[in-house]
Amino acid sequence: MLQTPFYDPEKSYEENLAEGPFGYFGEAGVTPQKGEPTYEFFGHKMYSPFGIPAGPLINGKFVQAALDKGFDIVIYKTVRTRKYPCHPWPNVLSVDVTGDLTLEKASGKLVANHAFHEPISITNSFGVPSPDPEFWKEDIANLIKAQRPGQVVIGGFQGTKMGDGDVEAYIEDYRVAARMLMEAGVKVFEVNFSCPNEGTANLLCFDIARSETIAKAIKEVIGELPLIVKVAYYQDSDALREFVKRVGSMVDGISAINTIAAEIIDEKGEQALPGEGRSRSGVCGYSIKWAGVDMVKRLKALREELGLTYTIVGVGGVTTPEDFFEYRAAGADVVMSATGAMWNPHLAEDIKHVL
Ligand SMILES: Cc1cc2nc3c(=O)[nH]c(=O)nc-3n(C[C@H](O)[C@H](O)[C@H](O)COP(=O)(O)O)c2cc1C
């Protein structure tokens, strides 16, 4: 049964920032950990290889609530080097998908509404807003100071495309963001490469040469500290192989996947999310699990084939403990859930009961 989501889709992003988290995450209390932290994660020992990816934990209150409720590896929602606005409400809608959201189905139109139901699939459309760095640096620094053993807060970030074709400035923006997160005390970094690429209409992760340049630029800033790159679903296996060969050899982890984009309409057949550039939007939750699991299997096979050592973070459609184990069996070192955790804030506890 779906529970009260900790991020309320019926409220604006600003209301969520001010009033959230909701439901179980809004209740006081820290879930006791059992045993000792034994799961290796970049030299740290974790209580579990499970957590929440970049997105639904929109500020320090949300991140702290996730840690308190037993999600051990959590990411503060992707930040930028400057304050950046959020798309207008609604930002989260339920989408009707029967079975898997195959790429063929995603090439058509999906109907969205407010009737969230199981198995949960949604579209999320925020435009990657960011608070002012003055705010998020302090917010993250406080979380890191309060971090308990066996848990970790990851700093997630991306560069901002200005649309002026200035690629050097775009790359420099990644360096600046990484430096700001370092100043906040972040020890594990995740860069979002499934984001817009300056001077192109495609995602950065599909521009392999540019991805390589940016990963190198970030590593020059953060040195030995671990860097995870977050990617989208690759249909083209040769492209994935090339990405892994050139970027996977330079970074410490690869996280897959982000969302699968589709055209989103309302019940009348009109654009469901208001505003320019929002006719297509990313789908996540149950119906994209197949794609996340498939990417994890391919990343594992490529890691072996190419003799690499990156950590594999499996994301997409994890809504039950069974899904977690399916990802682990596919080769995920760490598993994360955004949509599933939103509507089941007890998911980490449920997984730990059977771990
Ligand atoms: C509300 C929400 C906001 C998200 N925002 C971000 C984001 O800021 N950066 C990012 O890399 N991914 C973002 N995502 C994508 C998730 O990290 C994840 O890759 C995707 O939702 C698939 O996982 P899921 O099926 O468990 O939701 C967001 C997802 C949701 C549900």
Side-chain angles (χ1 to χ4, degrees):
M1 211 183 65
L2 297 183
Q3 300 176 39
T4 303
F6 59 77
Y7 180 98
D8 186 349
E10 301 311 326
K11 289 186 160 53
S12 70
Y13 168 71
E14 288 75 19
E15 285 168 323
N16 273 280
L17 279 174
E19 299 163 23
F22 302 96
Y24 184 51
F25 273 21
E27 292 172 20
V30 178
T31 307
Q33 299 277 11
K34 284 201 214 95
E36 293 299 316
T38 53
Y39 293 90
E40 187 71 31
F41 185 62
F42 301 126
H44 309 268
K45 297 272 190 226
M46 300 290 115
Y47 276 108
S48 71
F50 184 63
I52 298 183
L57 304 175
I58 56 174
N59 64 24
K61 287 184 289 176
F62 283 74
V63 173
Q64 191 58 54
L67 293 165
D68 289 349
K69 304 307 181 197
F71 292 85
D72 294 322
I73 305 178
V74 297
I75 310 186
Y76 192 102
K77 185 169 170 60
T78 307
V79 295
R80 302 177 183 261
T81 58
R82 67 205 77 179
K83 191 174 162 68
Y84 200 83
C86 185
H87 285 330
W89 185 89
N91 305 100
V92 175
L93 289 172
S94 179
V95 288
D96 284 338
V97 187
T98 312
D100 290 344
L101 178 61
T102 58
L103 299 184
E104 198 191 336
K105 279 186 209 165
S107 67
K109 297 175 185 187
L110 299 179
V111 177
N113 54 42
H114 293 261
F116 298 95
H117 59 84
E118 279 185 301
I120 184 85
S121 281
I122 62 169
T123 185
N124 87 76
S125 168
F126 290 82
V128 194
S130 178
D132 191 282
E134 286 307 306
F135 173 84
W136 64 249
K137 276 175 76 174
E138 195 184 338
D139 207 22
I140 293 179
N142 288 337
L143 287 166
I144 292 191
K145 271 184 226 134
Q147 209 169 264
R148 291 180 283 260
Q151 300 194 314
V152 72
V153 178
I154 299 175
F157 67 106
Q158 71 182 51
T160 300
K161 172 176 164 168
M162 302 306 285
D164 58 3
D166 189 343
V167 174
E168 279 315 310
Y170 177 66
I171 296 169
E172 180 59 18
D173 201 41
Y174 283 86
R175 285 198 195 92
V176 174
R179 210 168 286 129
M180 285 175 166
L181 284 165
M182 269 184 102
E183 285 162 10
V186 164
K187 296 284 179 284
V188 182
F189 298 74
E190 182 185 275
V191 62
N192 184 17
F193 275 5
S194 57
C195 68
N197 182 12
E198 182 60 69
T200 81
N202 217 338
L203 300 181
L204 173 60
C205 60
F206 298 135
D207 182 340
I208 296 166
R210 178 86 52 87
S211 294
E212 188 181 10
T213 304
I214 293 177
K216 189 160 174 274
I218 298 166
K219 277 307 260 183
E220 279 165 11
V221 171
I222 67 172
E224 291 302 301
L225 292 172
L227 174 66
I228 302 168
V229 288
K230 168 102 170 266
V231 298
Y233 182 78
Y234 283 72
Q235 195 172 1
D236 181 346
S237 289
D238 291 338
L240 179 62
R241 193 171 186 283
E242 194 59 18
F243 179 89
V244 169
K245 215 167 134 187
R246 290 169 64 176
V247 181
S249 51
M250 201 188 299
V251 299
D252 307 278
I254 301 180
S255 174
I257 61 170
N258 211 307
T259 54
I260 294 183
E263 188 176 341
I264 308 291
I265 54 170
D266 63 19
E267 268 135 18
K268 291 189 226 115
E270 281 155 24
Q271 183 175 327
L273 296 155
E276 209 185 311
R278 292 180 88 198
S279 62
R280 294 180 68 76
S281 158
V283 177
C284 46
Y286 172 81
S287 61
I288 69 158
K289 187 178 75 175
W290 71 272
V293 171
D294 180 54
M295 279 289 286
V296 164
K297 287 181 182 162
R298 290 155 75 195
L299 287 170
K300 182 170 186 242
L302 285 166
R303 185 172 64 184
E304 272 158 28
E305 183 199 320
L306 300 169
L308 298 173
T309 56
Y310 53 81
T311 292
I312 299 171
V313 183
V315 191
V318 175
T319 65
T320 64
E322 291 73 32
D323 299 329
F324 164 84
F325 289 108
E326 187 179 338
Y327 266 95
R328 290 277 287 172
D333 301 296
V334 169
V335 181
M336 293 188 179
S337 169
T339 308
M342 269 169 76
W343 273 273
N344 178 10
H346 292 272
L347 188 55
E349 295 164 357
D350 293 350
I351 288 171
K352 285 174 177 174
H353 275 136
V354 279
L355 193 61

